[in-house]
Amino acid sequence: MEEINKTANVRFFFRPFSADPTVQVVIFVAFLVMYLTSLSGNATIAVIVQINHSLHTPMYFFLANLAVLEIFYTSSLAPLALANLISMGKTPVSITGCGTQMFFFVFLGGADCVLLAVMAYDRFTAICYPLRYTLIMSWPLCVELMGGSLVLGFLLLMPLTILIFHLPFCNSNEIYHFYCDMPAVMRLACADTRVHKTALYIISFIVLSIPLSLISISYVFIVAAILRIRSAEGRRRAFSTCSSHILVVLLQYGCTSFIYLSPSSSYSPEMGRVVSVVYTFITPILNPLIYSMRNRELKDALKKALKKF
């Protein structure tokens, strides 16, 4: 009972990046700029797809939903991270608040990974079965696939979050991170966490490796189909519809796999915090840039929208 009371009253704090207030302010400004850029970029993608009827296709439907997911994904941690940066790590967060942030972050991140696999399937269908594409990728199926991404993310990651926050936290309350990340929080528990670490690894493996395997299989068939196209222009156009997706997949899966699939014995808080900046702040900025720069239809829609203002 005493341990439960201690845990219930825990207030977590986040370790500052630097003890120098000036450096913290610089980092705060950088994070704020990245957050606002991510919000504006992804919101632009979502709005452009919504208002342009020519973009009302499955590919852009999934792209718009990816942009919305990125907005909520980054917003689940950015406000608290910014508050702690400007306060030199003196802004506390309750165990309930930490658990809530952790759940929404991993839930949306998991849904993001599944959605990238769905987008690979969409490209596979478009390139390998072009004549049957509209029949296969019907709107009811698109909605079901999008909903399935959210449901899978929820079902896989809610139990893990609950499991972690049933641990007793009664010693150090300083998280060596800028948000409530699972490995960083588990390091503060005053109990045996081997079961929790194993559960984290298994669920991370499922969330990351299975969608990545499906993406890889899809692209094996896509590449084979592209190579069978006789004209160079046809091959170029087919590849251009996939190249932006490949870049986003590499960014997303590369960083998250480094954090969640590395052996716990090799986990470095310093490296974990740096790599996390990439997939929490930088990748959500790059996604809309990659898609807008490498997709002609989206670029044309953006230019038309800008001319109206």
Side-chain angles (χ1 to χ4, degrees):
M1 181 63 72
E2 186 179 349
E3 279 193 354
I4 292 173
N5 288 336
K6 283 183 179 180
T7 299
N9 294 322
V10 165
R11 293 293 182 272
F12 291 116
F13 294 86
F14 299 95
R15 181 176 295 189
F17 280 86
S18 171
D20 186 342
T22 304
V23 174
Q24 282 288 109
V25 169
V26 171
I27 296 172
F28 168 82
V29 172
F31 272 47
L32 180 61
V33 169
M34 286 191 291
Y35 177 51
L36 295 177
T37 304
S38 169
L39 287 183
S40 58
N42 283 293
T44 299
I45 295 289
V47 171
I48 289 295
V49 171
Q50 177 63 32
I51 64 176
N52 281 271
H53 292 288
S54 62
L55 300 181
H56 289 183
T57 63
M59 182 177 80
Y60 292 106
F61 169 76
F62 293 128
L63 177 57
N65 278 280
L66 179 67
V68 173
L69 269 183
E70 294 282 15
I71 291 171
F72 286 107
Y73 171 76
T74 309
S75 298
S76 67
L77 60 92
L80 184 59
L82 291 168
N84 274 279
L85 280 167
I86 203 67
S87 68
M88 292 294 293
K90 294 178 182 177
T91 302
V93 58
S94 68
I95 193 164
T96 303
C98 192
T100 302
Q101 184 194 60
M102 179 184 289
F103 165 69
F104 278 104
F105 176 72
V106 295
F107 155 55
L108 294 167
D112 202 324
C113 290
V114 177
L115 181 56
L116 287 173
V118 170
M119 293 172 74
Y121 173 70
D122 171 68
R123 292 298 82 209
F124 159 75
T125 307
I127 292 172
C128 297
Y129 301 99
L131 299 179
R132 296 171 55 198
Y133 175 68
T134 54
L135 182 64
I136 296 172
M137 297 302 295
S138 62
W139 282 113
L141 178 62
C142 291
V143 173
E144 288 171 7
L145 289 171
M146 184 62 224
S149 301
L150 296 172
V151 170
L152 280 173
F154 180 88
L155 293 178
L156 285 169
L157 294 158
M158 172 60 101
L160 182 58
T161 308
I162 293 172
L163 184 65
I164 290 174
F165 281 92
H166 270 76
L167 285 167
F169 297 95
C170 47
N171 295 320
S172 171
N173 63 346
E174 184 184 57
I175 300 174
Y176 201 126
H177 219 302
F178 58 90
Y179 67 95
C180 292
D181 194 29
M182 287 183 170
V185 170
M186 280 195 293
R187 289 171 67 88
L188 303 183
C190 49
D192 187 355
T193 60
R194 282 178 294 182
V195 172
H196 303 74
K197 288 176 181 176
T198 302
L200 173 60
Y201 186 86
I202 291 171
I203 292 176
S204 298
F205 184 81
I206 292 170
V207 171
L208 293 171
S209 65
I210 293 179
L212 184 57
S213 298
L214 295 173
I215 291 169
S216 301
I217 293 168
S218 296
Y219 275 106
V220 168
F221 287 103
I222 287 170
V223 170
I226 290 174
L227 292 176
R228 287 197 298 268
I229 298 174
R230 294 184 179 181
S231 70
E233 178 63 19
R235 287 196 298 271
R236 188 196 66 78
R237 289 184 63 184
F239 182 73
S240 68
T241 65
C242 302
S243 58
S244 52
H245 180 258
I246 293 171
L247 289 173
V248 170
V249 167
L250 291 174
L251 283 169
Q252 180 75 12
Y253 281 89
C255 295
T256 50
S257 296
F258 179 85
I259 297 296
Y260 294 104
L261 295 183
S262 298
S264 57
S265 58
S266 65
Y267 176 78
S268 165
E270 295 87 354
M271 185 59 69
R273 188 161 63 167
V274 172
V275 174
S276 295
V277 173
V278 176
Y279 67 82
T280 56
F281 281 92
I282 297 176
T283 301
I285 294 173
L286 294 178
N287 287 357
L289 287 175
I290 290 169
Y291 277 109
S292 60
M293 286 190 299
R294 301 186 68 86
N295 189 295
R296 182 177 295 176
E297 289 179 321
L298 196 57
K299 277 196 292 188
D300 291 343
L302 281 168
K303 288 176 183 176
K304 289 177 182 177
L306 290 173
K307 287 178 181 179
K308 292 179 180 179
F309 289 100

